[in-house]
Amino acid sequence: MKISLRIIQDLLDKSKKQRSELREAYALVPSSHCRRKALCCSLLPEMSLVEALAAIQCLSEMDPGIRFRLTGSLVQYFFLNSVRITSCPFLVDKNCLIYENRFFGCRAYGLWPRHYYNELATRSHQTKRYNQEQWQNLGISLPQEVVDFQVSYCPHVKPDVGSSVDDETLPHAADKIEILSKQLAPWHESFRHTYFLDLSFLLASLIFGLTEAVQMKFAFVKDYVKTGNQAGLSEIVGNLPDVFAALT
Ligand code: SF4
């Protein structure tokens, strides 16, 4: 099921309670200190719909110039993240522009027990290998270094209290967020199954249409693999509409 701008506006209107409770769920993640190396920001994290809505609300309230820049970064990220390792589109000069609203994945990074983090990383790598096969079936070989790229476990993050986080705390917070997001049915499932929990895909679909965004991605990836060229994309990114400006 496609998510339109009108549906996003409806969801923003109806999800005030869930977005407020999202902050309570985030507060379950132990506060921590890190060296702000921004290693965790090498990818746009997966997120649930309720988290995507919080980020969209944040984008809609931003200075138009910054929003335009982030819109371009998100669209570029969607089109080329299969062939190029780029940092999270929200990271600018080592600063997260939505830090107060950053996603659960960002908050939990570095706090997972190492064995749990490694399991998550293995699952993520399996998904990327599967995607690589799908691209291969279309005649496109993705660069192996991009397929194999993983954000490594970070030893620099420490909880403010105690030396480590127990095995239940983070899954418990993740479950709470999932429950909140499920209250936004049927769009919660649509964001998972149609947009693969990817805000950059949702944004590209809002701008170009769902099918068109996928077709364009195919063309840009093919061109990039063949020529290393992204000139056509740069021109498109320079002329994007400000889709989130109309949201209230
Ligand atoms: S949302 Fe912010 S904290 Fe999270 S990965 Fe992106 S830049 Fe880093």
Side-chain angles (χ1 to χ4, degrees):
M1 245 177 1
K2 291 183 202 172
I3 300 179
S4 65
L5 207 54
R6 187 186 58 74
I7 288 165
I8 289 178
Q9 182 64 68
D10 278 357
L11 284 167
L12 286 175
D13 294 341
K14 287 180 193 150
S15 66
K16 289 194 173 104
K17 176 172 164 287
Q18 285 82 2
R19 282 184 286 127
S20 157
E21 290 179 18
L22 175 64
R23 303 198 75 79
E24 292 167 24
Y26 282 158
L28 295 172
V29 179
S31 60
S32 60
H33 45 279
C34 80
R35 295 190 210 157
R36 302 295 294 269
K37 286 173 172 283
L39 295 177
C40 48
C41 307
S42 306
L43 299 170
L44 175 65
E46 285 185 351
M47 70 205 73
S48 58
L49 177 61
V50 69
E51 294 186 280
L53 289 171
I56 289 172
Q57 180 75 54
C58 198
L59 279 160
S60 76
E61 291 166 0
M62 274 180 185
D63 168 83
I66 298 174
R67 183 170 58 240
F68 181 75
R69 177 177 177 165
L70 287 181
T71 300
S73 300
L74 280 159
V75 166
Q76 209 158 6
Y77 183 89
F78 168 68
F79 284 132
L80 290 183
N81 70 350
S82 307
V83 279
R84 229 181 39 177
I85 300 163
T86 46
S87 58
C88 172
F90 291 108
L91 188 73
V92 176
D93 299 331
K94 285 204 167 187
N95 273 319
C96 172
L97 295 193
I98 56 162
Y99 191 75
E100 292 305 315
N101 290 283
R102 71 197 186 285
F103 311 107
F104 172 75
C106 319
R107 293 165 195 264
Y109 176 72
L111 292 174
W112 294 106
R114 190 184 282 266
H115 67 90
Y116 200 98
Y117 184 83
N118 289 341
E119 280 172 31
L120 293 176
T122 303
R123 280 211 293 274
S124 152
H125 190 231
Q126 284 166 349
T127 304
K128 286 166 86 178
R129 291 295 296 270
Y130 173 77
N131 290 339
Q132 181 185 31
E133 285 169 21
Q134 303 307 305
W135 280 99
Q136 195 66 54
N137 291 339
L138 296 169
I140 296 176
S141 300
L142 298 184
Q144 198 60 43
E145 68 274 16
V146 177
V147 176
D148 291 339
F149 177 76
Q150 292 285 329
V151 181
S152 55
Y153 183 79
C154 178
H156 303 298
V157 184
K158 301 286 175 222
D160 288 335
V161 177
S163 57
S164 62
V165 178
D166 64 55
D167 283 6
E168 278 88 43
T169 299
L170 295 177
H172 176 58
D175 286 348
K176 286 235 171 211
I177 294 167
E178 184 72 5
I179 289 167
L180 288 173
S181 199
K182 277 184 175 164
Q183 292 169 11
L184 306 174
W187 304 110
H188 165 81
E189 289 75 16
S190 169
F191 187 59
R192 177 180 294 280
H193 298 301
T194 305
Y195 301 91
F196 306 110
L197 307 174
D198 181 351
L199 178 59
S200 73
F201 185 12
L202 175 61
L203 176 59
S205 303
L206 289 171
I207 294 173
F208 303 108
L210 180 63
T211 309
E212 292 81 357
V214 173
Q215 289 169 341
M216 288 167 77
K217 176 162 179 142
F218 177 77
F220 284 128
V221 165
K222 190 174 176 191
D223 193 39
Y224 191 88
V225 166
K226 204 167 155 195
T227 66
N229 188 336
Q230 60 167 96
L233 177 57
S234 302
E235 199 182 320
I236 287 174
V237 164
N239 292 291
L240 292 173
D242 192 357
V243 282
F244 292 144
L247 297 173
T248 55

